[in-house]
Amino acid sequence: MSLYAFNTTNNLTGNNFGDALLSVQSLKIPALASTILLGGDKINFKQLNITRNGFSVDNLRHNYGSNIIGISPDGKTGVNASAYFVNLYNAEAPGDDYDEIKTPQKDKDIPVDIVFSKDGKLLASAGGTAVIIIDVVTQKVLKTIATGNYAVTGTAGIGAFSPDNKMYVAFGIRQEKPSRFMACFNIASGVKLWERGGEDYTFKFTADNKVVFCIDRYNKKALWLNANTGELIAEKAFGDNTIYNAIVTDDLKFALLNMDNTIEVWDLNTFTKTGELGGHNAFVSYSTFMNDEKYLVSASWDNTIRIWDWKNHRELIKLVLFDENEEWVAFMPDGRFDASANVLKKMYYTRGKEIIPLEGLYEQFFTPLLINRVLNGEQFAPLPVDINNLKMVPKVKMTYEAGQRNLVVSNDIPTFNNTTGVAEITVTATSPDDAIDEIRVFHNGKIVTLTSRNLIVTNDSKASTVTKKYTINLLPGKNNVRALALNTQRTESTPDELAVIYTGGNAAVAPAPVSTNAGGIIAAIDKNATLNLVVVGINQYKNPKMALNYALADATAFKDEAERDARTMVTSVKTYLVTDDKADKAGIIAALTDVQKNARPQDVFVFYYAGHGVISEKNKEFYLVPNDVTDLKNVDEALELHGIPSKMLQQYAINIAAQKQVFILDACQSAGAFATLMTNDANRQKSFAVVARSTGTHWIAASGSQQFANEFAQLGHGAFTYVLLKAMKGEAASNKMVTINGLKNYLQVQVPDLMKKYNGTPQYPSSYGLGDDFPVEVIK
Amino acid sequence: MKKIFLLIFCFLGLKGFSQGPVLTLPAGHTGDIKATIVSPDNKYLISSSADATTKIWELASGKLIYNFPNKTAEGKPYSFSQFIFKNNGTELLAMGRDVLMVFDFDKFKITKQVALKGFVYGALATNDRTLYITNQPEQYKADVLSLDMQDFSVKKLYELSAPDYYDIEFARISLNKQEDKLLCYTRLKGSVLIDTAGKELEIFNSDVKMLSFLPDGTMMGVKESGGRKYNIQLIDAGTKQLKWETNIEFKSIFSFYYNFQAIQFDKKTGLCLLQSRKDFAVFDYVNHTAPNLYTVPQGEANSTFLQLNLESILSEQTSRARLA
C-alpha cells in the first residue's frame, strides 16, 4: 500500500509516505550457528550472518522460490521450498547458486514448512497432503508420506523428527472428524503409527525417542504422549490466554509462549510462568532459540526482530530490516545503535512531533559491531547521555548576505552567483535548552579550516545561540557549502546547505561532476591538481619482536600503484614514502606537515599506513604505532610520546586544504583475548567513523583483528592490501573509472571472501566517509 | 452497547505522545487507506488504514512521526473513516464505526468520545459550530445527523429508509454557500437536498447524479456516457441551469457505483479533483478549464472505500489522492 501526496502548485508531483519494512513470515535459526533466516511476505527471504567479526545481511530470492525456508542445524545448508521444488543452497556463501530438488508434490501440496532432523541428515518439506522426506547428503527424495485426504498445515513447528530419524510427527487438517489432528508416521515405511485430535501442536521428541511432548495451542495445554502409541502420559493446562505460537527447549524444561505482544516463559517442571518478555508493540508472530538456546529471537508485526536474554527476561537487541535491500539497523535499549551505511538517513526518533534523526545521535550512540559485542556478552558502560532525556535538536541556518540569489533554484538549495572568488558566510546555530558546542562548515563535502581552534567554540562562548562568520575561498564553478551544529550532548542539527557559483576572474571552470547510475555524485578531478601521497610502511620496529613481514611490501606496492593510477588523471604527483627506520613520529609528521603547507583545495591527498596500530587503554583512542614504540601492551605513556593518535590525523584532515582526502589504514592489532580484540576493533572503527564524519574525508581500514599471518605468504601481501591493489589495478572499475566508493565496495565484498579462504572466518574491512566520491583512476 | 463501551475503554488507555524519544520506524501502511486529512497548518498528514493503524506524517519530509494501533480492548482491529480538524487544528475529530473521538492534537490524547450508531460515511463541519455526519444506523437505513461541536449533543436531521437496498448510505454530504442546505448523495438512490433543520426540500434521481455542492455554491452532477466516459455538469443551485459541462474519459474505472466518491476541492486554486482507479482528473471549476488526467504513480487507487472528507484533504498547496 502506498500513500501519496500531490502538490497542486507543482504540476501535481507525488510524494510517497512510508518505506516497506520487512514483514517476517517465517523465521529459522540453526542450532549450532549464528545465522538467522527470515522469510518475507513476497517470495524473498533474508539471511542474517552474525560472524565472529561482523554482521551482514543477504537478500535472497530463488526462481520458483517462496518464503518457506529452513536451515540445517550446522548452519551450512539453507533451504527454500516451493511447490515441486526444494532448493538447497550453501548458507556459508549465500548467493545466486542453489541445487534444485524436484519433489513429487501434487498441485495443492504447497509446502508450509521445512523441518530438519536433529542430526541434519534429513529434511521434511511438509504441506498439502504430503510430507516429503529428503536425504540432505544425496539430495534425493527418500520417502513421500501421504498424510490423509486434506492438508498438513499450521503456522510453524508443525512437524518434528524423532532423534533416531525413524518417526515423523505432523499436524494436519482434514474433512472428516477429528478434522484437526496430529499423526505419527514411520519414515521408512510411510505407515501411520497413530493419530489423535487436537489443535496447532508444537512438537518435540525426548532424546530417548520414547515421548512426544506437544503444546496444543488452541486448547492451551501441554501434553506428554507415548511416541509409539500416541497414548496420553500426562497433560497440564497453561491458563486462559490464547497461545499463538510456542517453542520448547531441547531438554523440555522451558516453554516460551507467544501471547499477542508478549512472550511468556514457563518452567515445565513446576509448570509455572517464571517471566515475561515484553517490548514488542504488536503481535509476536514467530520466535526461535539461538546460540544453543542462550538467546531467543522473535519477530513481530511491529516490524522489529528482537534478540532476548530470555532466561533473565531482558531485551538485548532490536533489529530493523527493509524489504527489498540489505540495509539494517540494530538498537540496544539504551539507544546505542549500529547500522549499515545507507540507512542512517531513514531512521529517526520522534518526541511528540519533533523528529530526531538517527544521524543526529551519531557521536554518542553509534556503536560499531554492536550485535557481535552484545551477543559476546560485553558489558557496556552507561552512556553519558540518557536517550530518554535528550535536549532538543540544535538548529543551524546559513546566510550569504553579499550574494545575489540566482533565479534558477534546484532542489531547494539556495544558489548564488559570485565573481570575486571569496564568499562570506554567516552561520547561526541555536540550541534552545542547551548550548552550541561546535559548528562545522563543509566546503564541497570537506570541512574548512578557518580557525586554529578547529571550529570548536570555546567554553566561554558557549551559548544557546552562536553566530559565526566564515570566509570561503571558492573554486571555479559550483561550490557547495554545508553547515551543521552540535549541542553539548553532541546531538547534530540537520545540515543547512547553499551553493555558490564562481564565474569571475581568469579561473578555469572546474570539470563538472559526473552523476552515476546509483544516484551518487562523483566529483571530477582537475587535471592540474596535485596528488599528495604519504605512504608509511613499517616492517622493522626497534623491538624486533614487533617486526612485521609484509607492511613494507604493501606500502611500496601501494605507492607504485597509486602513482601509476594518478597519472591517468593528474600531471603532478608528490610522494612521501616513509619506511622502517624513518618512520618514527617525527618522520611521519614531517611528511604530513609538508602536505599541509603545499596542498591546495583542488588537490588530492592520500594517506596510506601499513604497520601496527593499537587502542589506548586510557582514552580508547586509536594510535598508529611508529617504529620507536617498543611494546604493544601497557603503552599509554609511550603512545603519548611516540604514537600518532587518530585525533592528530583528524587535525591534519582539517588543516590540509585538499578537498579530496582518503586515509587507508592497514594497521594490524596486537593479539589478545577475542572479546578485547572485538571491543578494540569497535572502538577503532568508531574513532575513524567520527573523524571521517566530522571532516568529510574518506577512511578505509582493515579489520582490527587481522594479522599479517604466515598463511598469506603465498599472496606476498597482507590480505587487505592484496585486495586493495587488485581493486586499484582495475577490478573495482565501473564506467571506466575506479572511485573511492568503488574501492570501498570492492573491499567490502572481496576482503571477507579472501580472509575466509585463508583464515576460515570472514573479516570485514571498515570504511567511512560522507565526502564526495572521486575517481582514483581513469581507465583509458 | 457493550461493544461501544469496550472500544471507549481501550481508547482511554492511549497515552498519547511519549515524553521520551520513541524510535519510529518509517513503515508505510499495509492495508487499504480509509481516511486522510492534512492539518490546517499544512504540516501533518494523518492517515487511517484497514491495517488497523492510524499514522501521523510530517508532510514536507514524508516522515512518520506517530503510529498508533487501532485495536479495541478485545483485540479487534478497526479504522477511522472520517477526520475533521477543529479549533484551528488543535483538536482532531476522528470517526469510525460506532464512535467519534476527540484528540488533543498537540499531545495526541483522547479528550472525549461520543457514541454513534453504525458506520460513519460522510462528515463535514461548519466553523467549529456544527458537524454534519451521515451514518448507517442499521441495514436498509441511512441517517443524517448534526452534532453540536461545543457540547457534542447529537440530533438526527433526516432518515432514509430503503427496504429494497440493505447497504444504503449517504456516501457524501456537502453544504451550500449559505450553509443552510445539505446535499446528501447515495450511490444508487439518487440525492436528497435538505435544510439544516432536516426538512426535505428536493430529491434528485435523474441520470445526472447530483454529487456535491462546490465551494462556490454551484452543484456538480455526473452522467455516465458509456464506457469510461463521464459527463461532468456544473449546475446553478438556484435556477438549476447548466453553467458548464465537460467530458472526461478515464483510463480505468470500475463503474459509476464505485467511483467519484473521492472528490476534492481546493478553494485557493479553484481546482476540483475526481479520483478514479489508476488515474484522476483535475479541472478548474471557477474558470472552467478542461480537465487534465493524471496517472497514479503505482498500483491502483483504492476506490472501494470512499468515505473521505475530501475538502479537508486539500489544503493550501497540496491535494492528496489515496492509493491502495
Side-chain angles (χ1 to χ4, degrees):
Chain A
M1 303 299 143
S2 311
L3 175 65
Y4 285 89
F6 295 95
N7 194 324
T8 51
T9 56
N10 192 12
N11 201 22
L12 288 166
T13 44
N15 188 9
N16 195 9
F17 289 80
D19 287 300
L21 298 176
L22 181 71
S23 162
V24 175
Q25 301 301 317
S26 48
L27 166 65
K28 288 291 161 73
I29 297 174
L32 306 170
S34 297
T35 304
I36 301 174
L37 272 195
L38 296 161
D41 60 357
K42 304 198 182 75
I43 58 160
N44 59 324
F45 63 105
K46 283 183 198 289
Q47 180 173 319
L48 318 187
N49 313 295
I50 306 165
T51 66
R52 278 169 65 89
N53 305 299
F55 176 78
S56 65
V57 176
D58 290 296
N59 206 20
L60 302 168
R61 188 186 287 264
H62 291 169
N63 286 336
Y64 307 109
S66 72
N67 52 25
I68 303 304
I69 47 173
I71 187 159
S72 62
D74 59 9
K76 288 183 177 165
T77 309
V79 185
N80 184 218
S82 61
Y84 315 116
F85 294 107
V86 169
N87 298 333
L88 302 188
Y89 72 93
N90 180 0
E92 292 182 313
D96 296 335
D97 294 339
Y98 52 89
D99 296 319
E100 215 171 61
I101 303 173
K102 180 126 181 53
T103 54
Q105 270 154 325
K106 293 176 200 138
D107 282 355
K108 283 183 183 167
D109 296 346
I110 293 163
V112 295
D113 201 10
I114 296 291
V115 180
F116 268 92
S117 65
K118 205 174 174 190
D119 60 10
K121 288 181 178 159
L122 302 180
L123 74 82
S125 168
T129 58
V131 175
I132 294 161
I133 309 289
I134 290 168
D135 184 313
V136 178
V137 179
T138 63
Q139 303 198 351
K140 291 269 163 28
V141 174
L142 211 61
K143 190 82 196 171
T144 301
I145 301 172
T147 56
N149 66 350
Y150 206 48
V152 173
T153 184
T155 45
I158 55 161
F161 283 93
S162 61
D164 61 7
N165 287 356
K166 286 183 178 163
M167 289 177 281
Y168 187 85
V169 61
F171 170 70
I173 299 174
R174 63 186 166 195
Q175 278 159 337
E176 68 263 33
K177 304 263 169 172
S179 62
R180 302 169 82 81
F181 70 103
M182 68 186 285
C184 187
F185 300 92
N186 179 305
I187 290 171
S189 66
V191 169
K192 187 194 288 178
L193 300 172
W194 51 266
E195 66 160 71
R196 54 181 291 138
E199 295 262 356
D200 283 332
Y201 289 97
T202 296
F203 298 110
K204 182 81 82 181
F205 279 87
T206 54
D208 61 6
N209 305 294
K210 285 181 180 163
V211 175
V212 180
F213 171 82
C214 48
I215 293 174
D216 183 329
R217 300 200 283 263
Y218 184 79
N219 294 304
K220 302 147 194 163
K221 282 190 300 198
L223 307 171
W224 286 262
L225 307 174
N226 181 316
N228 292 308
T229 64
E231 282 170 286
L232 184 69
I233 299 166
E235 74 170 18
K236 277 172 182 169
F238 281 109
D240 293 333
N241 295 329
T242 307
I243 302 168
Y244 292 98
N245 221 327
I247 56 169
V248 188
T249 57
D250 247 9
D251 59 11
L252 298 182
K253 282 186 179 157
F254 289 94
L256 272 64
L257 314 178
N258 293 5
M259 322 287 286
D260 203 357
N261 293 9
T262 59
I263 300 164
E264 292 184 359
V265 182
W266 283 71
D267 182 326
L268 293 175
N269 290 331
T270 60
F271 222 76
T272 48
K273 185 172 103 175
T274 56
E276 211 169 87
L277 313 178
H280 277 298
N281 296 322
F283 181 68
V284 179
S285 43
Y286 301 100
S287 55
T288 305
F289 291 115
M290 192 171 79
N291 281 27
D292 216 5
E293 298 181 350
K294 189 173 176 193
Y295 303 119
L296 180 79
V297 179
S298 61
S300 157
W301 290 4
D302 69 7
N303 294 109
T304 66
I305 290 121
R306 297 185 200 219
I307 305 178
W308 309 81
D309 172 2
W310 64 273
K311 284 177 187 160
N312 295 309
H313 315 129
R314 210 158 57 89
E315 179 183 323
L316 299 174
I317 289 169
K318 174 161 55 198
L319 198 57
V320 181
L321 299 159
F322 291 77
D323 202 20
E324 290 292 335
N325 56 38
E326 298 178 347
E327 306 290 342
W328 56 272
V329 203
F331 296 89
M332 271 175 72
D334 66 3
R336 281 185 163 90
F337 69 87
D338 189 8
S340 56
N342 299 322
V343 89
L344 287 176
K345 283 187 168 52
K346 290 199 160 187
M347 297 296 302
Y348 50 91
Y349 284 87
T350 55
R351 182 173 46 197
K353 292 169 185 163
E354 183 192 16
I355 288 173
I356 307 168
L358 203 52
E359 276 192 301
L361 304 177
Y362 196 82
E363 283 204 6
Q364 293 290 12
F365 293 98
F366 174 60
T367 310
L369 300 172
L370 177 82
I371 297 171
N372 306 72
R373 293 161 76 188
V374 171
L375 299 186
N376 216 30
E378 181 170 337
Q379 296 299 312
F380 289 86
L383 284 163
V385 178
D386 178 1
I387 187 79
N388 293 310
N389 284 307
L390 283 183
K391 308 273 193 197
M392 285 170 77
V393 181
K395 288 195 168 60
V396 69
K397 182 79 203 144
M398 260 192 302
T399 49
Y400 176 52
E401 285 135 8
Q404 193 177 356
R405 186 161 169 159
N406 195 332
L407 289 175
V408 183
V409 177
S410 62
N411 301 329
D412 295 333
I413 295 172
T415 306
F416 303 92
N417 284 327
N418 176 293
T419 52
T420 62
V422 177
E424 302 281 345
I425 306 275
T426 306
V427 178
T428 305
T430 49
S431 170
D433 57 351
D434 193 18
I436 294 294
D437 197 38
E438 185 177 329
I439 295 172
R440 295 176 184 164
V441 176
F442 299 84
H443 179 200
N444 293 342
K446 197 235 150 198
I447 200 153
V448 283
T449 54
L450 293 160
T451 65
S452 59
R453 294 275 308 123
N454 107 39
L455 300 181
I456 295 167
V457 177
T458 51
N459 275 330
D460 50 290
S461 69
K462 265 183 192 171
S464 61
T465 299
V466 175
T467 303
K468 281 184 88 79
K469 278 196 171 23
Y470 297 91
T471 306
I472 291 173
N473 295 313
L474 300 168
L475 290 179
K478 190 170 178 180
N479 292 261
N480 177 279
V481 186
R482 182 164 54 94
L484 60 81
L486 288 87
N487 66 12
T488 64
Q489 291 188 333
R490 307 297 290 168
T491 304
E492 276 178 33
S493 68
T494 308
D496 191 28
E497 275 186 74
L498 59 81
V500 184
I501 298 170
Y502 169 41
T503 49
N506 48 16
V509 171
V514 184
S515 255
T516 59
N517 293 338
I521 298 280
I522 301 171
I525 289 182
D526 185 341
K527 70 177 189 315
N528 296 317
T530 301
L531 168 70
N532 295 277
L533 188 60
V534 175
V535 177
V536 183
I538 313 172
N539 268 2
Q540 303 304 321
Y541 278 83
K542 292 210 167 138
N543 175 356
K545 281 182 188 159
M546 285 165 61
L548 295 168
N549 295 321
Y550 298 110
L552 192 55
D554 285 350
T556 315
F558 176 83
K559 176 189 98 51
D560 294 346
E561 188 56 41
E563 287 176 342
R564 202 167 19 244
D565 290 353
R567 293 212 171 90
T568 64
M569 299 181 301
V570 295
T571 42
S572 161
V573 177
K574 194 159 188 205
T575 305
Y576 305 81
L577 182 64
V578 188
T579 57
D580 285 357
D581 58 325
K582 302 279 189 305
D584 57 6
K585 187 174 180 177
I588 297 168
I589 283 180
L592 291 169
T593 313
D594 208 48
V595 175
Q596 185 184 326
K597 237 181 273 168
N598 298 316
R600 302 160 298 165
Q602 62 267 38
D603 291 344
V604 181
F605 170 53
V606 177
F607 179 82
Y608 174 94
Y609 176 87
H612 285 289
V614 289
I615 287 282
S616 153
E617 288 302 315
K618 205 165 88 188
N619 56 17
K620 306 288 176 214
E621 200 182 341
F622 178 74
Y623 284 79
L624 299 180
V625 179
N627 67 15
D628 51 349
V629 177
T630 52
D631 198 355
L632 291 171
K633 283 175 199 151
N634 311 316
V635 286
D636 286 345
E637 228 165 280
L639 283 177
E640 229 158 271
L641 275 172
H642 305 294
I644 296 184
S646 51
K647 276 252 164 60
M648 185 180 282
L649 294 177
Q650 174 181 30
Q651 196 57 51
Y652 280 107
I654 295 168
N655 293 346
I656 291 172
Q659 283 173 357
K660 300 178 182 74
Q661 297 190 11
V662 56
F663 291 75
I664 301 169
L665 304 175
D666 192 353
C668 68
Q669 195 170 285
S670 61
F674 174 69
T676 320
L677 272 183
M678 168 87 76
T679 307
N680 285 351
D681 190 24
N683 284 332
R684 198 182 63 122
Q685 283 192 33
K686 174 133 188 188
S687 300
F688 297 159
V690 170
V691 172
R693 194 177 168 79
S694 64
T695 55
T697 53
H698 294 273
W699 291 64
I700 307 174
S703 168
S705 45
Q706 180 187 340
Q707 301 293 306
F708 289 80
N710 290 329
E711 297 98 82
F712 299 90
Q714 50 204 294
L715 300 178
H717 288 290
F720 175 83
T721 295
Y722 176 79
V723 176
L724 177 67
L725 291 171
K726 268 175 56 173
M728 292 167 70
K729 283 182 175 136
E731 290 203 13
S734 80
N735 296 331
K736 300 203 163 180
M737 209 190 271
V738 180
T739 70
I740 290 294
N741 287 343
L743 277 184
K744 286 180 187 168
N745 293 339
Y746 185 85
L747 288 162
Q748 214 70 44
V749 174
Q750 298 293 326
V751 174
D753 278 6
L754 190 76
M755 292 299 286
K756 200 174 160 194
K757 193 169 151 197
Y758 286 97
N759 206 13
T761 52
Q763 295 184 334
Y764 300 91
S766 46
S767 56
Y768 297 95
L770 294 170
D772 289 346
D773 194 12
F774 60 87
V776 293
E777 180 183 10
V778 173
I779 293 156
K780 295 282 177 336
Chain B
M1 282 314 288
K2 192 187 167 212
K3 203 166 84 185
I4 297 170
F5 192 76
L6 278 172
L7 188 80
I8 290 166
F9 172 75
C10 164
F11 263 86
L12 285 173
L14 238 178
K15 282 188 230 117
F17 283 150
S18 161
Q19 290 307 299
V22 179
L23 177 67
T24 303
L25 307 178
H29 281 299
T30 55
D32 288 350
I33 290 152
K34 303 283 193 172
T36 54
I37 196 169
V38 171
S39 62
D41 60 7
N42 219 20
K43 277 191 180 160
Y44 305 104
L45 167 66
I46 298 102
S47 59
S48 184
S49 160
D51 67 10
T53 61
T54 294
K55 295 174 190 277
I56 305 179
W57 311 87
E58 194 178 67
L59 192 54
S61 67
K63 284 195 158 90
L64 177 67
I65 55 172
Y66 195 55
N67 185 45
F68 67 88
N70 289 137
K71 255 186 181 180
T72 65
E74 298 157 304
K76 206 180 147 198
Y78 67 92
S79 58
F80 294 117
S81 55
Q82 287 287 352
F83 290 121
I84 299 261
F85 267 105
K86 190 194 156 191
N87 209 1
N88 229 355
T90 57
E91 284 182 289
L92 178 68
L93 312 186
M95 287 147 271
R97 185 175 290 285
D98 297 333
V99 74
L100 176 149
M101 295 162 199
V102 184
F103 290 86
D104 171 339
F105 193 63
D106 285 331
K107 299 191 174 68
F108 228 82
K109 262 186 174 162
I110 308 245
T111 54
K112 188 163 185 68
Q113 298 109 75
V114 180
L116 297 172
K117 212 172 166 208
F119 195 87
V120 172
Y121 284 92
L124 73 87
T126 59
N127 294 334
D128 290 358
R129 288 195 315 273
T130 313
L131 177 68
Y132 297 102
I133 292 172
T134 65
N135 67 330
Q136 189 184 48
E138 55 192 280
Q139 287 183 345
Y140 307 103
K141 281 205 166 81
D143 283 355
V144 180
L145 311 175
S146 78
L147 193 142
D148 186 310
M149 287 173 82
Q150 302 309 317
D151 65 11
F152 291 96
S153 60
V154 182
K155 199 169 90 185
K156 188 191 279 193
L157 289 185
Y158 187 78
E159 179 185 302
L160 179 68
S161 289
D164 58 335
Y165 184 37
Y166 80 97
D167 202 16
I168 188 76
E169 89 249 348
F170 289 115
R172 179 170 184 86
I173 183 170
S174 56
L175 199 60
N176 67 345
K177 207 177 177 187
Q178 292 74 31
E179 300 193 346
D180 59 359
K181 287 173 192 161
L182 290 159
L183 180 63
C184 311
Y185 163 74
T186 69
R187 290 190 180 113
L188 288 187
K189 293 278 173 186
S191 303
V192 59
L193 185 71
I194 58 174
D195 68 16
T196 46
K199 191 179 156 208
E200 183 181 302
L201 302 174
E202 196 171 353
I203 286 178
F204 303 93
N205 55 8
S206 75
D207 58 348
V208 179
K209 307 280 182 188
M210 206 57 76
L211 283 177
S212 180
F213 280 115
L214 299 178
D216 64 3
T218 310
M219 295 172 98
M220 183 167 75
V222 174
K223 194 171 78 176
E224 285 179 286
S225 315
R228 287 169 276 116
K229 291 179 191 155
Y230 292 86
N231 174 246
I232 312 291
Q233 304 189 357
L234 302 192
I235 297 156
D236 187 284
T239 63
K240 300 284 153 40
Q241 292 298 305
L242 181 68
K243 289 168 74 177
W244 182 62
E245 65 180 324
T246 187
N247 293 302
I248 300 173
E249 181 170 7
F250 286 104
K251 286 180 196 131
S252 67
I253 198 154
F254 286 125
S255 75
F256 188 79
Y257 177 87
Y258 286 111
N259 283 283
F260 296 140
Q261 318 299 312
I263 310 166
Q264 304 175 48
F265 303 112
D266 186 357
K267 290 175 195 169
K268 287 263 157 63
T269 56
L271 292 180
C272 172
L273 183 150
L274 292 175
Q275 186 186 318
S276 172
R277 203 170 138 212
K278 289 188 174 174
D279 45 9
F280 55 89
V282 179
F283 64 87
D284 185 328
Y285 63 82
V286 179
N287 300 313
H288 299 162
T289 58
N292 281 324
L293 212 57
Y294 296 89
T295 306
V296 300
Q298 59 180 25
E300 292 186 351
N302 171 13
S303 28
T304 48
F305 296 96
L306 304 158
Q307 13 354 54
L308 292 182
N309 176 19
L310 293 155
E311 284 98 331
S312 53
I313 290 166
L314 263 174
S315 54
E316 281 190 28
Q317 293 196 330
T318 319
S319 68
R320 257 137 281 286
R322 204 184 25 139
L323 307 179

